[in-house]
Amino acid sequence: MAGSDLFRWLDDQLAAAADLGNSAAQEALVGPMRHVFGVSDKVLTMTLSAVLMADRRGRPDWFDVGSRMIVVDRLVHNLLVRTGILAGFDATHAYGQRCYGKNGCADILRRVSAEIDARQFDASFPDNFPRYIQHALWQYCAADGLNVCNGNNIDDRKSCEQISCIVYSICGRNALKIK
């Protein structure tokens, strides 16, 4: 597909979608690769965002697209369910393709990220950095990260009882599974 020149292919795909906005640029990269057996949007988005953000100074247009890519996995989706964020946006849905659709998890995370100035975490970050915000939420849940909001620590059939959680007082504490 890339004719042995991935960088040229990325440049060409981004140039073709340049006037159509960031979502179109992301789709111009992920879309043609969806036919690869066993490779999901999640894996494509995660991998491409890392590649695109690797050379911020040399390829600022790549960084702009990569920094706005959202990766939704079960941990992030379940966090949005448990906290009540999906319900608050009237966007309750099962984990899957809907996470990337209109008013899905990725869309909601982009809207939330626009309200958070990421420069407060690192002055070199862009003010709106959806990939960073999404990754921070993932780290909060991941067993290899902070290991807080996940099925290892919360019985999915019950409301969360982790009173030491920093968002406990504002969390919806929704059970993932109906009893």
Side-chain angles (χ1 to χ4, degrees), residues 84-156:
I85 292 171
L86 286 184
F89 279 91
D90 195 27
T92 302
H93 63 275
Y95 174 70
Q97 197 58 33
R98 172 84 163 71
C99 291
Y100 290 97
K102 184 174 166 59
N103 205 35
C105 298
D107 188 37
I108 290 167
L109 288 171
R110 280 189 194 88
R111 290 190 285 176
V112 169
S113 177
E115 301 297 320
I116 300 170
D117 187 344
R119 295 174 297 190
Q120 68 183 303
F121 307 110
D122 187 321
S124 70
F125 285 173
D127 61 336
N128 186 9
F129 198 168
R131 178 73 172 120
Y132 175 76
I133 299 302
Q134 169 267 303
H135 187 70
L137 293 174
W138 178 85
Q139 279 285 111
Y140 191 68
C141 301
D144 290 346
L146 294 175
N147 193 32
V148 176
C149 188
N150 62 42
N152 296 332
N153 298 309
I154 302 167
D155 183 340
D156 291 344

Side-chain angles (χ1 to χ4, degrees), residues 16 19 27 37 45 67 73 85 95 106 116 118 129 153 161 164 166 176:
D19 296 335
E27 181 58 27
F37 180 75
T45 303
S67 70
D73 68 353
I85 292 171
Y95 174 70
I116 300 170
F129 198 168
N153 298 309
E161 298 172 350
S164 62
I166 60 172
L176 292 181

Side-chain angles (χ1 to χ4, degrees), residues 19-66:
D19 296 335
L20 303 175
N22 200 284
S23 293
Q26 291 177 35
E27 181 58 27
L29 300 176
V30 174
M33 295 187 197
R34 278 198 184 100
H35 73 280
V36 178
F37 180 75
V39 180
S40 65
D41 276 30
K42 176 183 109 175
V43 171
L44 289 169
T45 303
M46 185 170 47
T47 303
L48 287 169
S49 69
V51 170
L52 294 170
M53 292 190 305
D55 184 13
R56 184 176 183 185
R57 286 192 183 119
R59 295 181 181 271
D61 54 329
W62 284 26
F63 182 87
D64 183 54
V65 173

